[in-house]
Amino acid sequence: MNVPSASDSEGDHIAHVASEEWTKVVAVLTSELRDIALAEEVTQDAFAAALEQWPSSGVPQRPGAWLLTVARRRAIDRIRREATGRSKVETIGRLEARLSPAAVAIDSSLVRDEQLQLLFACSHPALSVEVQLALVLRCVAGVSTPDLAAAFLISESAMAQRLVRGKRKIRDSAIPLSMPADSEILSRISVVHQTIYLIYNNGYVHPSGELLIENDLTEEAIRLARLVVRLIPSDPESKGLLALFLLSESRRPARTDCDNNLVLLADQDRSKWDQSMISEGNELIAAAIRREQPGPYQIQAAINALHCDAKTAEDTDWPQIELLYHSLVQHTPTPIVKLNLAVAISMSRGPAEALPLLDRLMPELEKFHYAHAARAEILVRLERYEEARAAYREALELVRNESERTFLNNALAEL
Amino acid sequence: MKFAALIYSDETNPEINPDPASPEFAPMMEGYMGFGATYSDKIAAGEALQPTTTATSVQVRNGETITTDGPFAETKEQLGGFYILECADLDEAIAIAADIPHAATGTVEVRPVPDFGGE
């Protein structure tokens, strides 16, 4: 997944040590150079030097400091050669000051601000969403361009173009690469949450992919959520986001059968759920809730925790889930959240109460296959089979994911 | 660095762009006066433009000047004025652009002004 590659196994070991430092070195240099593309290039140079020298000299005691020093020297050379104007002198001065032995220590606590700055810049709302996702995965998570291209089903050159476009926009439109004021961090972080959430969703059900689950992107989203929790430990929504991912991910082994067909929550083999992810998710959500600053991710995580806590589908605490969806609607009154509330009501109070709520939402959800599928299920429970068949057919018109299509076809065939 | 804030809005809608002779015109201008006063140290330049019905498009082809009545492109919202803002970064430019009165009824496009290093 990570950047440097080497052919032999000794090189692999070195590449592994080095790749752990990649994103940190890029973050520090971006902050010093105010230019992501240049930071990446000189970091790449430093990694090339490491792969050349370390096999004979051994891995240095502090590989991060070594890489950072080499990268800074390369940056000074490049700026001397290429840059013009007053900013050149300033940047070189800043870099040289940091070449002193006392200043080269690099550890995770020291790069906290730099990594946050880079996260904020890469998920800046002035960038298109597709560019945000690509930049965050490339620059903050360290995913290679070929892996990114594969995950988003586009060519490598198209992905490289997308990244270049994003970095150029950050540089040329002066998207800030500096640290926001402490008072602004929490409001800014919500944009980062959204980007990471989209990365997770892209991995969870790929919009057009045949597989229901693309593991790599969900794993990267979890890694990024962990990073945000570490960088801003006081933010309960960051914990909520990570808890949401873990609790949802815990059910992954049961979500598809051996033919990669979708298995609904109620029909899943609960013994396959990953208990260590569930307990980590539960701890995170408990810690978040203690701060008494509820938000949409904490609420969604709490809903997932209730599902994970139920020994059987019948044990699910639907009245509590309904309550949580009511408060989620207060925070994010989107048609999809309201749809989920209607589904929860169908479980807590019965399908007859839920159907009129759902029908009122349908004009807004016409193009969303899941809404038609949910409506079909409620109609089946009301024994209105003819309407249910029609609703399933509508869902089938719209669905793009192959395993979901198979699921809907089976449901329709069973009627 | 400098940013251009290009103000687009529907010039044919009198609620958004009232006629100078109408009573609604003064409140709109007051909005711009207030904006100008609040950000006087950030505004390097700024002008309003006459509506696109007054526009003339000019092209030179084979050494010949061709003029056409009307704006470069027909759009739903038209360029009605601009500011040049002096800002630290895009976030500051966005925050100031959001206070331009027509941001509430039209669209303000923010574009960085490149620095060709003339100093």
Side-chain angles (χ1 to χ4, degrees):
Chain A
M1 208 83 239
N2 277 303
V3 177
S5 59
S7 49
D8 57 37
S9 64
E10 193 201 2
D12 279 350
H13 167 66
I14 290 166
H16 178 72
V17 173
S19 72
E20 286 177 4
E21 304 294 338
W22 165 270
T23 56
K24 290 181 193 170
V25 174
V26 168
V28 172
L29 281 162
T30 299
S31 154
E32 291 169 5
L33 299 167
R34 308 255 191 275
D35 184 335
I36 298 176
L38 180 58
E40 278 191 332
E41 281 165 31
V42 295
T43 304
Q44 189 75 63
D45 287 350
F47 275 79
L51 287 176
E52 207 178 293
Q53 293 175 30
W54 291 1
S56 52
S57 68
V59 176
Q61 252 191 333
R62 293 191 345 231
W66 190 98
L67 289 161
L68 194 52
T69 303
V70 172
R72 279 187 180 128
R73 290 215 179 94
R74 299 279 169 145
I76 291 173
D77 289 349
R78 297 257 321 239
I79 294 167
R80 279 220 176 95
R81 257 199 333 265
E82 292 163 19
T84 50
R86 202 180 42 188
S87 66
K88 170 183 177 174
V89 182
E90 280 171 12
T91 310
I92 290 179
R94 201 161 53 226
L95 289 168
E96 279 180 336
R98 291 179 191 183
L99 280 173
S100 67
V104 295
I106 174 171
D107 66 58
S108 51
S109 64
L110 281 177
V111 298
R112 171 188 175 268
D113 284 5
E114 286 83 352
Q115 285 195 299
L116 266 180
Q117 286 164 18
L118 194 54
L119 246 184
F120 285 140
C122 292
S123 48
H124 198 283
L127 300 166
S128 74
V129 169
E130 56 171 33
V131 169
Q132 288 176 30
L133 300 190
L135 279 177
V136 167
L137 285 165
R138 177 74 192 98
C139 302
V140 185
V143 179
S144 73
T145 307
D147 284 344
L148 270 184
F152 288 95
L153 304 174
I154 60 173
S155 73
E156 221 176 297
S157 64
M159 180 52 78
Q161 271 305 312
R162 190 179 287 184
L163 290 163
V164 166
R165 213 168 62 227
K167 286 177 239 178
R168 230 176 249 160
K169 171 136 193 198
I170 289 176
R171 189 191 61 198
D172 294 345
S173 9
I175 286 177
L177 282 164
S178 53
M179 195 65 178
D182 275 355
S183 57
E184 273 176 46
I185 287 183
L186 286 188
S187 69
R188 292 281 300 277
I189 199 69
S190 69
V191 179
V192 173
H193 289 156
Q194 237 165 45
T195 306
I196 301 176
Y197 186 77
L198 282 174
I199 291 172
Y200 184 83
N201 268 340
N202 245 285
Y204 181 57
V205 180
H206 201 283
S208 60
E210 294 204 346
L211 289 176
L212 186 71
I213 291 158
E214 311 250 336
N215 274 319
D216 285 352
L217 283 186
T218 55
E219 273 170 30
E220 290 303 336
I222 290 173
R223 278 198 330 129
L224 285 163
R226 275 191 203 288
L227 174 70
V228 173
V229 168
R230 209 182 67 223
L231 296 176
I232 314 179
S234 63
D235 175 34
E237 273 293 87
S238 297
K239 287 200 173 79
L241 183 68
L242 177 57
L244 171 61
F245 289 167
L246 290 170
L247 292 166
S248 161
E249 204 56 11
S250 73
R251 303 195 297 269
R252 184 172 56 84
R255 199 172 283 136
T256 47
D257 63 17
C258 45
D259 300 324
N260 203 39
N261 289 322
L262 179 69
V263 182
L264 279 192
L265 184 57
D267 305 323
Q268 287 175 13
D269 175 357
R270 292 176 183 231
S271 67
K272 285 190 187 164
W273 291 357
D274 185 322
Q275 290 303 322
S276 72
M277 280 193 187
I278 292 176
S279 59
E280 191 189 351
N282 281 337
E283 277 166 35
L284 280 161
I285 192 66
I289 285 171
R290 274 199 294 276
R291 299 191 82 98
E292 296 185 350
Q293 297 162 332
Y297 296 117
Q298 291 171 77
I299 297 169
Q300 289 177 75
I303 290 167
N304 271 274
L306 286 170
H307 283 302
C308 289
D309 282 349
K311 297 266 178 302
T312 65
E314 292 70 35
D315 286 342
T316 309
D317 187 351
W318 285 107
Q320 188 64 31
I321 289 174
E322 186 197 324
L323 272 178
L324 285 166
Y325 271 118
H326 277 295
S327 67
L328 189 58
V329 168
Q330 303 293 314
H331 284 273
T332 41
T334 65
I336 290 178
V337 173
K338 289 179 191 164
L339 165 65
N340 284 320
L341 171 61
V343 172
I345 287 173
S346 85
M347 299 307 290
S348 62
R349 302 191 224 165
E353 269 195 64
L355 189 62
L357 297 173
L358 195 51
D359 283 343
R360 236 174 290 146
L361 288 170
M362 285 314 284
E364 282 180 284
L365 292 165
E366 254 175 352
K367 300 224 154 48
F368 186 46
H369 67 87
Y370 178 66
H372 293 284
R375 194 164 166 275
E377 273 173 51
I378 287 173
L379 287 165
V380 169
R381 287 166 61 201
L382 291 168
E383 298 177 0
R384 287 160 64 171
Y385 299 116
E386 209 41 57
E387 290 161 89
R389 273 186 207 105
Y392 272 129
R393 280 189 204 106
E394 298 239 34
L396 276 162
E397 290 280 308
L398 297 162
V399 71
R400 288 167 68 201
N401 181 287
E402 274 312 312
S403 29
E404 288 181 292
R405 180 189 306 282
T406 309
F407 173 84
L408 290 170
N409 268 321
N410 290 344
L412 182 58
E414 272 173 32
L415 271 182
Chain B
M1 65 182 285
K2 286 192 171 65
F3 288 85
L6 310 174
I7 304 162
Y8 289 85
S9 65
D10 182 356
E11 63 188 14
T12 63
N13 183 337
E15 282 175 32
I16 294 172
N17 285 294
D19 188 276
S22 70
E24 290 81 20
F25 188 73
M28 185 193 80
M29 285 312 288
E30 273 166 34
Y32 275 94
M33 305 286 271
F35 175 81
T38 307
Y39 296 108
S40 60
D41 57 336
K42 299 285 178 190
I43 298 171
E47 296 293 348
L49 302 176
Q50 293 282 6
T52 54
T53 49
T54 66
T56 307
S57 296
V58 179
Q59 292 176 317
V60 176
R61 295 292 181 271
N62 301 319
E64 197 184 335
T65 301
I66 306 159
T67 58
T68 319
D69 176 36
F72 163 64
E74 299 286 348
T75 47
K76 274 191 203 153
E77 295 185 319
Q78 300 80 23
L79 183 64
F82 66 88
Y83 287 103
I84 302 293
L85 303 169
E86 187 64 56
C87 302
D89 55 36
L90 181 64
D91 282 357
E92 190 183 8
I94 291 172
I96 297 174
D99 279 347
I100 294 175
H102 273 104
T105 50
T107 307
V108 179
E109 179 178 324
V110 175
R111 298 258 293 265
V113 176
D115 176 7
F116 294 115
E119 18 179 339

